[in-house]
Amino acid sequence: MNAWACNVDWPAAIGVLRDLIIAVVSITTATVAVLGLNAWRRQGKTKARFDVAKEFAIATFAVRDALDEARVPMITPREYPPPEAGDDALDPRSGQVLGCVYRNRWEPVKNALERFREAGIVAEALFGDELAQKVTALRRDAHKVATAMNEIVDQAYQDNMDFEDRDFRRTVYSDAHATRGAEDNALTQSIYGTVTDIQTLLRPSLTWMDD
């Protein structure tokens, strides 16, 4: 054995080497832990953003679909309220009947708008003013539908289904009724356009799992 090997304090040297290895392992472990924690935090934020976007997208589509159903042009007999016992059948053009029809049609819209409002509180905070503007636009269009329905009912209660102003009548019925996705209906196109804009704003947050 070489002389220098005989003169080395091996227990002490081994102890230093062991401490060095432990230190290196500890630093490596700490580094990996920090990197992993940062990645987890980023993933957590991305997942939270995805959840908010998903809920708001569902709520938005629910409003669009509920408005489509409420605005179906044809009113079917099953939508009319049944007459009271002993009474004659109600006039389907009366304010009482139309009020009942539109009230029942609006109920799902009201529920969808409430979900939209709740989901929008967080979504607006997360996505900012651009989304907030779209939220306001969709609510405004929904209000136009409700206003048009109320105008029709009010006119029916006056026993007059013919508005004196023909242009106003055309606008009212165009806002209250339209086929799904009608390209010749301005309010429908406004509603669908806003929904598309919201979808565009949310899409990057809805594709995080593809990254």
Side-chain angles (χ1 to χ4, degrees):
M1 181 177 297
N2 295 332
W4 68 268
C6 295
N7 295 328
V8 172
D9 184 355
W10 287 108
I14 292 174
V16 171
L17 181 60
R18 180 193 60 201
D19 293 340
L20 180 61
I21 292 174
I22 292 175
V24 171
V25 171
S26 298
I27 293 173
T28 302
T29 301
T31 301
V32 172
V34 170
L35 293 175
L37 180 59
N38 288 339
W40 179 83
R41 285 174 176 169
R42 288 195 300 271
Q43 185 180 23
K45 290 180 181 179
T46 304
K47 177 63 165 60
R49 194 177 182 90
F50 169 83
D51 290 340
V52 171
K54 178 182 177 181
E55 174 59 25
F56 191 66
I58 293 173
T60 300
F61 293 140
V63 171
R64 180 200 62 190
D65 293 345
L67 286 171
D68 278 342
E69 289 296 326
R71 299 176 72 208
V72 170
M74 181 179 293
I75 298 176
T76 61
R78 65 182 178 81
E79 295 183 80
Y80 298 144
E84 298 292 335
D87 291 343
D88 294 332
L90 296 173
D91 181 358
R93 293 166 58 90
S94 69
Q96 180 182 357
V97 170
L98 290 176
C100 179
V101 169
Y102 286 126
R103 186 166 54 251
N104 290 337
R105 284 189 172 199
W106 190 254
E107 189 65 23
V109 179
K110 183 178 73 173
N111 294 336
L113 285 171
E114 177 60 22
R115 181 180 182 182
F116 182 71
R117 183 193 67 81
E118 293 175 353
I121 293 174
V122 180
E124 287 183 39
L126 193 61
F127 292 94
D129 291 341
E130 189 173 3
L131 182 66
Q133 292 172 8
K134 301 304 177 183
V135 170
T136 300
L138 189 55
R139 287 174 176 165
R140 182 173 58 244
D141 284 346
H143 180 70
K144 287 182 180 179
V145 176
T147 300
M149 290 178 173
N150 285 332
E151 289 285 355
I152 293 173
V153 173
D154 289 345
Q155 193 73 8
Y157 269 113
Q158 299 174 28
D159 295 325
N160 181 12
M161 292 299 294
D162 294 323
F163 293 83
E164 293 182 2
D165 187 329
R166 295 295 181 179
D167 290 336
F168 180 67
R169 181 185 188 280
R170 187 179 301 108
T171 298
V172 167
Y173 275 91
S174 178
D175 287 351
H177 295 286
T179 56
R180 186 183 299 271
E183 296 183 358
D184 60 346
N185 186 280
L187 185 54
T188 299
Q189 289 304 300
S190 178
I191 292 169
Y192 274 60
T194 299
V195 171
T196 299
D197 290 343
I198 291 175
Q199 186 179 10
T200 299
L201 289 172
L202 298 179
R203 184 174 291 113
S205 295
L206 292 171
T207 57
W208 70 277
M209 290 183 296
D210 296 334
D211 297 338

